[in-house]
Amino acid sequence: MNQKFYQKTCPNLQTIVRSVVSEALATEARMGASLLRLFFHDCFVQGCDASILLDDTPTFTGEKTALPNINSVRGYEVIDAIKSQVEASCPRTVSCADIVALAARDSVNLLGGPTWNVVLGRKDAQTASLSLANSDLPGPGSSLSTLISMFAAKGLSPQDMAVLSGAHTIGQSRCFLFRDRIYNDININASFAALRQQTCPLSGGDSNLAPIDVQSPVTFDNSFYVNLVNKQGLFHSDQELFNGGSLDSLVAQFSKDQAAFFSAFAKSMVRLGAINTLTGKNGEIRLNCRTIN
Ligand code: HEM
């Protein structure tokens, strides 16, 4: 695996990915958030192997119906659009897993965040796991110790966890995932809770959307950390990062130093992208990201 993996075999790869992502974001800026999350949900389940992209069939069960993914993960069509242009330019060469990693990087950068070199050469899985998709992704009610141990299980440090959580500077969440937080939690700013209660009632409205970052939901910046310091984290799990625990000082630092957050985010994304990759003779280059060859 290296940054120049496709330099000779698919020299236009990075230009194609960036242009398709850029078009998608021009239509809907939120898609950048969705593509970033798609990469996280791919990497945490079996590794960064595009297992999340496999469609269910009568004889195959994939990850799309897992609780953290169903009616939630978005961006599959954008990956399809990239893949079809890449296949036209360099057939049977580039994995879907690498396309997901590049699309996440470009999404962050196009919304104002940092860029980094993506290490390439992942292969695509010939399997998927509904049960791992249900067990290995953290939920919004998680405690700090649960978050730390779920990331440790993937070889990521508590610092990586706090840094990668900064992804919640972009995107939206459905009401039922933060209802407990805005009605029953402590350590929440009262006017922020009241604001969110306006569109997320105690009962009903489960799928109503709210921005995860109250300040700038389509700009990748450090405001996630400013929100935490102000007790304006939308998820209980996010506010756990600034609740008198071991990561408080890092959160406080990032809230004041965007450059420090950006450089840490780039490094942690490279580590996220290295989880359990299939390389060499393992795995395949899928022709269609939704099906095994
Ligand atoms: C630390 C543990 C994490 C928890 C508990 C968590 C939880 C959640 C939840 C509950 C949602 C809303 C989903 C919905 O409405 O259906 C969400 C959205 C999102 N998450 Fe996370 N997440 C975590 C870490 C991450 C990481 C590491 C990334 C990326 C590096 C990430 C990126 C995103 C993005 C960008 C969205 C918005 C997606 C969109 O608008 O389509 N999250 N997350």
Side-chain angles (χ1 to χ4, degrees):
M1 300 243 312
N2 62 73
Q3 298 159 20
K4 298 178 176 170
F5 193 81
Y6 301 109
Q7 199 172 49
K8 295 219 173 76
T9 54
C10 196
N12 296 329
L13 171 63
Q14 308 224 10
T15 312
I16 295 171
V17 175
R18 194 173 175 95
S19 85
V20 177
V21 172
S22 169
E23 275 172 44
L25 268 55
T27 307
E28 187 205 14
R30 182 190 173 194
M31 189 53 75
S34 305
L35 290 167
L36 175 56
R37 183 160 182 252
L38 181 69
F39 177 61
F40 169 51
H41 283 212
D42 181 30
C43 290
F44 257 53
V45 180
Q46 281 193 173
C48 312
D49 59 1
S51 57
I52 194 172
L53 302 180
L54 293 170
D55 279 340
D56 283 13
T57 73
T59 56
F60 180 88
T61 305
E63 297 166 9
K64 291 185 174 179
T65 59
L67 280 177
N69 293 339
I70 192 165
N71 300 135
S72 182
V73 166
R74 308 167 73 244
Y76 301 119
E77 296 77 13
V78 179
I79 301 299
D80 291 339
I82 298 170
K83 178 66 170 172
S84 77
Q85 285 204 25
V86 169
E87 282 299 308
S89 181
C90 357
R92 298 167 185 260
T93 304
V94 179
S95 68
C96 299
D98 280 340
I99 288 173
V100 171
L102 288 167
R105 187 271 312 268
D106 289 342
S107 293
V108 168
N109 187 233
L110 287 163
L111 293 177
T115 190
W116 56 92
N117 291 317
V118 176
V119 181
L120 298 166
R122 297 168 189 80
K123 291 288 184 61
D124 298 324
Q126 290 154 303
T127 61
S129 175
L130 179 65
S131 62
L132 288 179
N134 276 316
S135 64
D136 287 10
L137 289 161
S142 303
S143 66
L144 182 60
S145 63
T146 297
L147 294 172
I148 289 175
S149 63
M150 291 185 88
F151 277 68
K154 305 296 167 187
L156 297 175
S157 70
Q159 159 144 352
D160 287 319
M161 186 275 291
V163 168
L164 291 169
S165 296
H168 288 168
T169 178
I170 52 175
Q172 305 271 325
S173 173
R174 288 171 297 165
C175 157
F176 77 99
L177 295 164
F178 59 83
R179 181 180 283 125
D180 250 22
R181 164 86 177 137
I182 60 173
Y183 288 98
N184 300 321
D185 217 351
I186 48 173
N187 201 15
I188 187 167
N189 174 282
S191 34
F192 172 67
L195 173 72
R196 285 291 159 259
Q197 287 170 5
Q198 286 176 16
T199 54
C200 182
L202 255 177
S203 98
D206 279 10
S207 300
N208 293 357
L209 292 174
I212 306 178
D213 171 4
V214 63
Q215 303 189 48
S216 52
V218 292
T219 304
F220 195 100
D221 56 19
N222 68 334
S223 52
F224 171 77
Y225 300 99
V226 177
N227 295 337
L228 296 187
V229 168
N230 294 332
K231 302 186 182 185
Q232 294 179 326
L234 186 63
F235 300 135
H236 174 83
S237 52
D238 285 343
Q239 196 63 56
E240 281 284 278
L241 304 178
F242 190 81
N243 193 25
S246 54
L247 293 162
D248 276 31
S249 58
L250 189 70
V251 168
Q253 187 206 347
F254 289 159
S255 76
K256 291 184 214 123
D257 187 349
Q258 183 168 87
F261 165 52
F262 278 11
S263 102
F265 190 79
K267 292 193 178 86
S268 291
M269 283 292 283
V270 173
R271 285 194 277 275
L272 175 63
I275 297 173
N276 247 3
T277 48
L278 297 168
T279 55
K281 289 193 161 74
N282 296 318
E284 64 180 14
I285 305 291
R286 259 179 236 154
L287 298 180
N288 173 339
C289 292
R290 293 173 182 267
T291 57
I292 293 160
N293 290 346

